[in-house]
Amino acid sequence: MFAMKSDLGFVAVAAILSLLLGIFIGQRTSSSSSSKLPEAAHLRVKRCDSQGGYEVEERSQLQKLVEDRWESEQHLNKDILDLINTTNLRNNLKELSSRPILAGTERDNELARMIQQRFVESGFDSSELVPYDVLLSYPNQSNPNLITIHDGSDKVVFTSRFKEEVLHKDDGDPEFIHSYAAYSPPGDIKTKPGTGLIYVNYATIEDFDKLEELGIDVAGHLVIARFGKIFRGNKVTIAQERNATGIILFSDPNDVAATGTSPADVYPNSFWIPGSGMQRGTTYDGLGDPLTPGWPSTRDAYRLDEKDVVLPKIPCQPIGYDDAREILKKLGGPSPSRRVEGMVLKKSVTTLGPQLLDEFRDHSIRLQSHNSLRITKSYNVIGTIKGEVEPDRYVLYGNHRDAWGYGSIDPSSGTAEMLEVARVFGELKKKGWRPRRTMVFCSWGAEEFGLMGSTEWVEDHVNKLQDRSVAYINTDGCVSGPNLQVAASPLMWDPIKKITKLVPGVSDGETVYDEWAADFALQNKSQPVIGTLSASSDHTGFMFYCGIPSLDRHFGFDTSKYDIDIYPSYHTGYETFYLVDKFLDPNYRILQGCGRMSALLLKYFSDSAVIPYSLSKMAETIEENLVRLKANGVGERLVQIYNKFPVLEEAVTNFTQSINKFVKRIEQTKDTMGPMLLRAVNDQMMKLEQTFILPPGLPGRPLERHAIFAPSLYDAYGTSAFPGISDLLFRINTSKDKVKKEQRKETLRRHISDVTIVLQRAARFLEDFQFI
Amino acid sequence: MFAMKSDLGFVAVAAILSLLLGIFIGQRTSSSSSSKLPEAAHLRVKRCDSQGGYEVEERSQLQKLVEDRWESEQHLNKDILDLINTTNLRNNLKELSSRPILAGTERDNELARMIQQRFVESGFDSSELVPYDVLLSYPNQSNPNLITIHDGSDKVVFTSRFKEEVLHKDDGDPEFIHSYAAYSPPGDIKTKPGTGLIYVNYATIEDFDKLEELGIDVAGHLVIARFGKIFRGNKVTIAQERNATGIILFSDPNDVAATGTSPADVYPNSFWIPGSGMQRGTTYDGLGDPLTPGWPSTRDAYRLDEKDVVLPKIPCQPIGYDDAREILKKLGGPSPSRRVEGMVLKKSVTTLGPQLLDEFRDHSIRLQSHNSLRITKSYNVIGTIKGEVEPDRYVLYGNHRDAWGYGSIDPSSGTAEMLEVARVFGELKKKGWRPRRTMVFCSWGAEEFGLMGSTEWVEDHVNKLQDRSVAYINTDGCVSGPNLQVAASPLMWDPIKKITKLVPGVSDGETVYDEWAADFALQNKSQPVIGTLSASSDHTGFMFYCGIPSLDRHFGFDTSKYDIDIYPSYHTGYETFYLVDKFLDPNYRILQGCGRMSALLLKYFSDSAVIPYSLSKMAETIEENLVRLKANGVGERLVQIYNKFPVLEEAVTNFTQSINKFVKRIEQTKDTMGPMLLRAVNDQMMKLEQTFILPPGLPGRPLERHAIFAPSLYDAYGTSAFPGISDLLFRINTSKDKVKKEQRKETLRRHISDVTIVLQRAARFLEDFQFI
């Protein structure tokens, strides 16, 4: 019956095959008739330019399952570059940053609904609002947090600002939130007359140690520090551990007004900021809702009692540099004579505090904070474009929505591009295209308070996400300058390089890659350097709780010109649409570059048949980090502490060999894999990073479970390889308590063993390629 | 080109298709030429009875991916039934039980090598010895554990036996291990003259409470209890918690010699045992090597210090009923006048101890134990037959190898069938057949000591197993009588029923199902009842640590005839080949039934296109268990303790709805799924049970992580639904410590929330069928 030779027979065979296919393949897309969807035919040329024979359809049904659409639809990739439109991007940004977007406020919820609607309009298959009830912290708008200076008769001789001076129509919203440090407790700290505060530089451990060395004990004192170097939450924690009573944080002009503080030098005349700009931000250094660590903050969730929650215990208040100067002056602070009125205090810190200058000997300084905690509904928006071949494989793309102010950079430059990317894929979809795998677009709520929205969602869906996620692409503030900066799982290092080579340059380079490489060439690097991830944004839950390969990137300020940690207007009232529109990206080419990168990255991971992870980079990075860990005699110390440390080194070597073998086999078989084997190989790679997850978490860090890469324990903005080992080694020899020291060593031995096991498992996880 | 109408054209099309297939499918099996493998053609008729046209091959390449081989190879299922051979089974059993197989001994290792070799001979794709170095416990063979009675002048007037009387050539091995309770510490306890020991019945919590009620305090006393009702390890723990100094355990003739204790009534004349039969066994109630809880005992593994390990602290020694009678007599124990000299003491327990009868008032009783711990290499044997379509999906089939003695029942009846099943599948494979999914055969080491081999292997491979396992089928002692008993994840309840309907009866029924149903008909049940799993065997790690659907079954003694907990020779020196060969299964039909069931179950899960889980049973069982949990006012109490308990009930309802919807959709689309969707649906089902896993484990039980079903906390042989809730509720009101009571309630509230979240996740886990 199947081998008939007549024309009639052939038709019969074809008809039977068609029938059989109806049975085996289930719902067939309507694309089999190219006349109905001419544009789809263009877009899906490989599958649709047939003359209508059943064999073609038959062949294409099988081919569809293994087809590398990324390769076969190169023209589509080019179309996408063209479709990302600067006018749309500008309009999106303008709308998003027209008013402040504090998490949990009506404006935030309104934007959530707007984004949901935009996904619907883009033709997404689903678009949902997903609320969580999370513990947020707000200041009292009718009773602002203040720092005051009182004279001998308790008269207030100085009062700090509690919001920025209005300098442009874009920063004049009457509902703008007062300056505060979220999760800083309420408090009223007043120093004894004559005793001012102690300047503690960046409030790092090293700074406090230096003070201790100099005989200055901060215990019982109010301290003042500048922003920078480490996450502000860690500054509070460290000050608290040293028994300070409160901490004032100020923006150093050297960081935020590096070319001068006169009105002509700063906003609204440049992207530097004036003296009233205040950096708001969270001081909570956990992940997600502190009341529900490890589980989702659904309406009915069990919640810890607030008293059992680890939140800052001493009040903290951020101020601008004008006010900081007033306060520091009383301590003999920096003179105003320098061209740049930086407050970088190169003199020994002893020169500042705690005693006020003689002329202020009867003065006292007072910090009043009136923040309060509130369980608040915060929405995520989740939109999907279902995959055609593997609907149960997710490529996720997320960006938070909330801001401390207008958020034109952080996060709305990212939201603006996400909306445009959604529109572009929606357009393709309307023409009949679908990705191979499902694309998931996420607008996260309450990121600024501690990655609330993304963390709760991850905790809610952990199994599904671990089972089905191919990659998570994060975008936060995407444009704060022209220089590309990327941090990612090493599995995504090659892909991002590949994509940047396809995206036209955003300034004078031919491609983004060329510009990126040029930036690094200035630092004498032969190619761009990509870092591993910190806990700085919503990738944290995906990467460090789930082990899902993640990437975060943005265009930042020009690091060759300015030695600053972050763009000047960060979290202040001057992060406005005007700022971006006028100074940072007036022709929206950088934002266009962002959108183009996101779109192509998404398509690359969604449509490649073999998931394009850079496996070798993972092995190389671990090898390099092991060398770095062992440097300066640490390797020998580790062997002294645990004589089986070499087994870990051996495991790293085995892992590398296993990766190399696997990569070679993929190369050899890539083009000949059937659909099931393709899926099996992809599953194996997709789950590789998860083999690094320690279910109970790193020692003392239950929500950070990645044994190989993790945020730095002493700076949530930093990153660390072999994080548990580094943390446990940190100052192990300075501990004076013998019992504690021995316990720490024991924990270290056990953790080294855990990391060894994880690496051994990872190596074996790939070894079963023999099965395939 | 693809729609040519001439004969020539058709041939060209066929040739091109063939070429394309070469590209897409990769390695093709040689089955495309049926002349080379006539037997393969028979076995794979659906794919190979063509007239050689390429279209057929084309069709079959796609069909192969979705084909339900279980259905299409019905004749093979019948062949398998015929191939399981009673002579082979007898020979296997004879060889395995010819000598004692204590874990870690040379004979155990020899058998491991033998089994590995048998897998090789069966044509398996791999067959490996996988060692772990685990902490085992052994008695001193030159200084046996003894119970002695001393008279007033300290003369020994009674000494207990330390091994069984040799009664048949099959139980005469000179290397037979002395009687001991593994992990019982060394100790030498002597009672004060006149103070004997206290009889504590089964040493359950209820028994000790009853004693307390009667004013009898066991603290400071040696106690004696009979085996039965609960796991011996729990008896030791409970006695220890009540501050007993040691515990003697004896076999009650009512359980092991129910028809009489005269030589004619017992072994070697029946399957009942004589008075010197002693039940060895472990008293450690953890899972896996106590030195490496949660990670594998590889050679270089980090190990806890022995002093930090929770092992029994009071000595325990098992004795036979002859010796027990001697001891109890001194306490006024049971008279020998009854027909069956049972030691079931229906009289109040107060009548026994601690005071010895008047005539023994100057006597004392002494327990000497000389066990020691030793880190010992124990081997697993892992053999695989790779799947043809989904090599990365595993159906696992495991059985332990070690025994306390000759192990003819436990475990060698299981090992004998496994070897035969391996041979049968090996034969099919030699004829060209391969399963759809990979079959993994496991011979576990050191199960008897605390599930060492399987637990360490699971800990070593947890990611791979959780990602890839479809089901785990356990066989332990498979034949100790004629009555089938099954415990399993509800996902496997329908499958096992289906399989038993295909297997011919082992006694007088047409099928095993008929016989099984007849057993339950005697208990007025309309159909066989399947239980959920306990921690009794090697399924424990798979089911409760990983969440892999598991099944355990055996043919046990006739429960309608005998009210006993376990077969009489269990763990004694009389569990010999002779016992099985002569009394239990002389024609090996029961063992054949075991092998047939295992083989068909393996094939059913390996070869069905849609994995044949009984999803609805999972929902129904959870619903039923919720009702059971709430009964007797417990529901109201739970609401009082936690007003969100109803949210859990709602979650159960949603889970059921979600299951029902999913099942309906599978029914509707089953026959039309393409290969990728089939895989996606299977993945979804396969991972469902894993959504019940709480990564940190049940409260206080880090290695038992299944939130819905788990071994009972107070009896490792028992099973419990909503185990965390039951455990935390257990006697909550009798606690006198208010703070502890409130803490327990708080833990309960949080755990109820965890279970709720897990159920909500599970419901949502299935909801994305919309994606498919």
Side-chain angles (χ1 to χ4, degrees), chain A residues 18 128 149 161 165 231 272 309 313 428 496 548 650:
Chain A
S18 161
E128 284 176 49
I149 299 181
R161 298 189 69 98
E165 192 179 355
F231 168 58
W272 300 105
V309 164
K313 286 184 183 64
L428 298 186
I496 186 70
I548 295 166
E650 192 187 304

Side-chain angles (χ1 to χ4, degrees), chain B residues 376-615:
Chain B
T376 309
K377 211 169 273 302
S378 172
Y379 292 92
N380 295 326
V381 189
I382 310 289
T384 62
I385 304 178
K386 286 182 203 172
E388 183 171 15
V389 178
E390 296 184 272
D392 64 332
R393 289 293 173 262
Y394 308 150
V395 181
L396 301 115
Y397 168 41
N399 157 261
H400 73 91
R401 189 183 55 252
D402 65 312
W404 292 111
Y406 308 97
S408 63
I409 297 169
D410 174 11
S412 298
S413 57
T415 316
E417 60 138 317
M418 172 179 276
L419 290 174
E420 179 62 359
V421 172
R423 185 194 65 78
V424 167
F425 282 118
E427 244 182 57
L428 297 186
K429 180 171 173 283
K430 285 171 191 165
K431 290 177 181 168
W433 173 89
R434 269 191 186 281
R436 176 186 178 88
R437 305 184 179 92
T438 294
M439 291 177 171
V440 183
F441 286 61
C442 318
S443 169
W444 305 121
E447 186 263 6
E448 291 293 0
F449 286 78
L451 317 177
M452 303 296 167
S454 58
T455 302
E456 298 309 315
W457 194 73
V458 161
E459 289 171 346
D460 208 3
H461 295 272
V462 53
N463 299 65
K464 206 181 271 194
L465 291 170
Q466 286 193 314
D467 279 351
R468 305 179 191 171
S469 301
V470 170
Y472 174 76
I473 298 159
N474 194 62
T475 188
D476 194 317
C478 199
V479 181
S480 57
N483 283 32
L484 182 62
Q485 289 168 21
V486 181
S489 159
L491 294 176
M492 295 177 78
W493 287 9
D494 285 354
I496 185 71
K497 286 193 180 173
K498 175 167 180 143
I499 295 305
T500 54
K501 287 176 184 171
L502 298 174
V503 175
V506 300
S507 52
D508 50 2
E510 196 182 327
T511 66
V512 166
Y513 183 83
D514 294 336
E515 295 168 346
W516 191 21
D519 297 343
F520 278 91
L522 293 176
Q523 304 168 38
N524 294 317
K525 307 265 191 211
S526 65
Q527 54 171 317
V529 175
I530 304 176
T532 51
L533 288 159
S534 73
S536 61
S537 190
D538 291 306
H539 52 266
T540 303
F542 292 90
M543 181 74 182
F544 301 120
Y545 188 70
C546 295
I548 295 166
S550 301
L551 176 140
D552 185 46
R553 61 84 187 79
H554 68 278
F555 287 91
F557 58 85
D558 189 337
T559 48
S560 69
K561 283 195 197 152
Y562 312 111
D563 181 24
I564 58 180
D565 281 356
I566 194 140
Y567 62 92
S569 58
Y570 174 69
H571 287 190
T572 71
Y574 301 120
E575 202 183 309
T576 58
F577 174 69
Y578 168 80
L579 180 83
V580 176
D581 199 56
K582 176 87 179 176
F583 302 107
L584 298 180
D585 192 19
N587 53 23
Y588 291 86
R589 281 184 62 195
I590 308 177
L591 195 48
Q592 188 182 37
C594 280
R596 285 168 163 174
M597 280 169 66
S598 296
L600 288 195
L601 252 183
L602 258 174
K603 188 168 190 306
Y604 191 38
F605 278 97
S606 301
D607 276 1
S608 295
V610 175
I611 305 171
Y613 295 127
S614 39
L615 291 172

Side-chain angles (χ1 to χ4, degrees), chain A residues 1-7 10-11 13 17 20-27 51 53 55-56 58-59 61-63 65-66 126 128 293-296 298-304 384 386-394 436 438 459-464 467-468 642 644 647 671-681 683-684 687 690-692 695 705 746 749-750 753-754 757 760-761 764-765 767-768 770-772, chain B residues 1-7 10-11 13 17 20-27 51 53 55-56 58-59 61-63 65-66 126 128 293-296 298-304 384 386-394 436 438 459-464 467-468 642 644 647 671-681 683-684 687 690-692 695 705 746 749-750 753-754 757 760-761 764-765 767-768 770-772:
Chain A
M1 178 171 146
F2 288 94
M4 281 184 264
K5 296 270 159 86
S6 72
D7 283 357
F10 177 58
V11 171
V13 167
L17 283 172
L20 287 168
L21 282 168
I23 293 167
F24 299 131
I25 306 300
Q27 298 147 311
Q51 286 108 52
E55 301 83 356
V56 174
E58 161 63 336
R59 177 185 152 255
Q61 287 293 359
L62 189 59
Q63 192 192 2
L65 302 179
V66 294
S126 70
E128 284 176 49
W295 66 95
T298 51
R299 197 194 54 195
D300 296 314
Y302 173 87
R303 288 180 164 75
L304 299 181
T384 62
K386 287 182 201 171
E388 184 170 14
V389 178
E390 295 184 273
D392 64 332
R393 287 293 173 264
Y394 309 151
R436 177 187 179 87
T438 293
E459 288 170 348
D460 208 3
H461 297 269
V462 53
N463 300 66
K464 205 181 272 194
D467 278 352
R468 305 179 191 171
Y642 190 47
K644 285 173 184 163
V647 185
D671 301 323
T672 59
M673 286 182 200
M676 283 294 191
L677 301 194
L678 179 62
R679 171 99 170 190
V681 169
D683 277 3
Q684 231 169 330
K687 299 300 194 74
Q690 282 179 41
T691 62
F692 295 144
R705 314 195 296 175
E746 203 53 49
R749 284 188 271 272
R750 176 148 171 195
S753 165
D754 284 346
I757 290 164
Q760 286 167 339
R761 262 191 213 139
R764 268 202 320 265
F765 196 80
E767 268 169 16
D768 275 355
Q770 54 169 329
F771 275 7
I772 287 162
Chain B
M1 175 172 145
F2 287 95
M4 279 185 265
K5 297 269 158 88
S6 73
D7 284 357
F10 178 58
V11 171
V13 168
L17 284 172
L20 287 167
L21 282 167
I23 293 168
F24 300 131
I25 306 301
Q27 298 147 310
Q51 286 109 52
E55 300 82 358
V56 174
E58 160 65 335
R59 178 186 151 252
Q61 287 293 0
L62 189 58
Q63 194 193 359
L65 303 179
V66 293
S126 70
E128 284 176 48
W295 66 95
T298 51
R299 195 194 54 194
D300 296 314
Y302 174 86
R303 287 178 164 76
L304 298 180
T384 62
K386 286 182 203 172
E388 183 171 15
V389 178
E390 296 184 272
D392 64 332
R393 289 293 173 262
Y394 308 150
R436 176 186 178 88
T438 294
E459 289 171 346
D460 208 3
H461 295 272
V462 53
N463 299 65
K464 206 181 271 194
D467 279 351
R468 305 179 191 171
Y642 189 46
K644 285 173 185 163
V647 185
D671 300 325
T672 59
M673 285 182 201
M676 282 294 190
L677 300 193
L678 179 62
R679 171 99 170 189
V681 169
D683 277 3
Q684 231 169 330
K687 298 302 193 73
Q690 281 179 41
T691 62
F692 296 143
R705 312 195 296 175
E746 203 53 49
R749 284 188 272 271
R750 174 148 173 198
S753 166
D754 284 347
I757 289 163
Q760 286 167 339
R761 260 190 214 141
R764 267 204 319 265
F765 195 79
E767 268 169 16
D768 276 356
Q770 52 169 329
F771 274 9
I772 287 161

Side-chain angles (χ1 to χ4, degrees), chain A residues 418-632:
Chain A
M418 172 179 278
L419 289 175
E420 178 63 0
V421 171
R423 184 193 67 79
V424 166
F425 282 118
E427 245 181 57
L428 298 186
K429 179 171 173 285
K430 285 172 191 166
K431 291 178 181 167
W433 173 89
R434 270 191 187 281
R436 177 187 179 87
R437 305 183 180 91
T438 293
M439 290 177 171
V440 183
F441 285 63
C442 318
S443 168
W444 305 120
E447 185 262 6
E448 291 292 359
F449 285 78
L451 317 178
M452 302 296 166
S454 58
T455 302
E456 298 309 314
W457 194 74
V458 161
E459 288 170 348
D460 208 3
H461 297 269
V462 53
N463 300 66
K464 205 181 272 194
L465 290 170
Q466 286 192 315
D467 278 352
R468 305 179 191 171
S469 300
V470 170
Y472 174 75
I473 298 160
N474 193 62
T475 186
D476 195 317
C478 198
V479 181
S480 57
N483 283 34
L484 182 61
Q485 290 170 20
V486 181
S489 159
L491 294 177
M492 296 177 79
W493 288 8
D494 285 354
I496 186 70
K497 285 192 181 172
K498 176 169 180 140
I499 296 304
T500 55
K501 286 176 183 169
L502 298 174
V503 174
V506 298
S507 51
D508 50 359
E510 196 181 330
T511 67
V512 166
Y513 183 83
D514 294 335
E515 295 167 346
W516 190 23
D519 297 342
F520 278 91
L522 293 176
Q523 304 167 39
N524 294 318
K525 308 265 190 210
S526 64
Q527 53 170 320
V529 175
I530 304 177
T532 51
L533 288 160
S534 73
S536 61
S537 190
D538 292 306
H539 51 267
T540 303
F542 292 90
M543 182 75 184
F544 301 119
Y545 189 70
C546 296
I548 295 166
S550 301
L551 176 141
D552 185 46
R553 61 85 185 81
H554 69 278
F555 286 90
F557 59 85
D558 188 337
T559 49
S560 69
K561 282 194 199 155
Y562 313 111
D563 181 24
I564 58 181
D565 280 357
I566 194 141
Y567 62 92
S569 59
Y570 174 70
H571 287 190
T572 71
Y574 301 120
E575 203 183 309
T576 59
F577 175 68
Y578 169 80
L579 180 84
V580 176
D581 199 56
K582 175 87 178 179
F583 301 108
L584 298 181
D585 193 20
N587 52 22
Y588 290 87
R589 283 183 63 194
I590 307 176
L591 194 49
Q592 188 182 38
C594 280
R596 285 168 163 174
M597 281 169 66
S598 296
L600 288 194
L601 254 182
L602 258 173
K603 189 168 188 307
Y604 191 39
F605 278 97
S606 301
D607 276 0
S608 296
V610 174
I611 305 173
Y613 296 126
S614 39
L615 291 171
S616 305
K617 282 284 177 300
M618 179 61 90
E620 288 163 21
T621 308
I622 294 177
E623 294 260 11
E624 281 166 23
N625 276 290
L626 181 63
V627 170
R628 210 169 297 155
L629 175 73
K630 287 168 56 193
N632 304 320

Side-chain angles (χ1 to χ4, degrees), chain B residues 673-747:
Chain B
M673 285 182 201
M676 282 294 190
L677 300 193
L678 179 62
R679 171 99 170 189
V681 169
N682 281 336
D683 277 3
Q684 231 169 330
M685 293 193 290
M686 206 174 95
K687 298 302 193 73
L688 179 65
E689 188 124 22
Q690 281 179 41
T691 62
F692 296 143
I693 294 295
L694 297 170
L698 290 168
R701 300 158 80 183
L703 300 186
E704 291 172 352
R705 312 195 296 175
H706 199 298
I708 309 297
F709 305 113
S712 169
L713 184 60
Y714 302 100
D715 172 20
Y717 283 171
T719 176
S720 169
F722 299 108
I725 300 177
S726 324
D727 290 349
L728 288 164
L729 269 181
F730 187 74
R731 307 206 159 185
I732 195 168
N733 282 333
T734 60
S735 170
K736 278 152 203 153
D737 184 328
K738 272 201 176 169
V739 174
K740 274 197 185 158
K741 194 168 159 180
E742 192 38 51
Q743 277 170 351
R744 178 103 80 98
K745 283 189 182 172
E746 203 53 49
T747 308

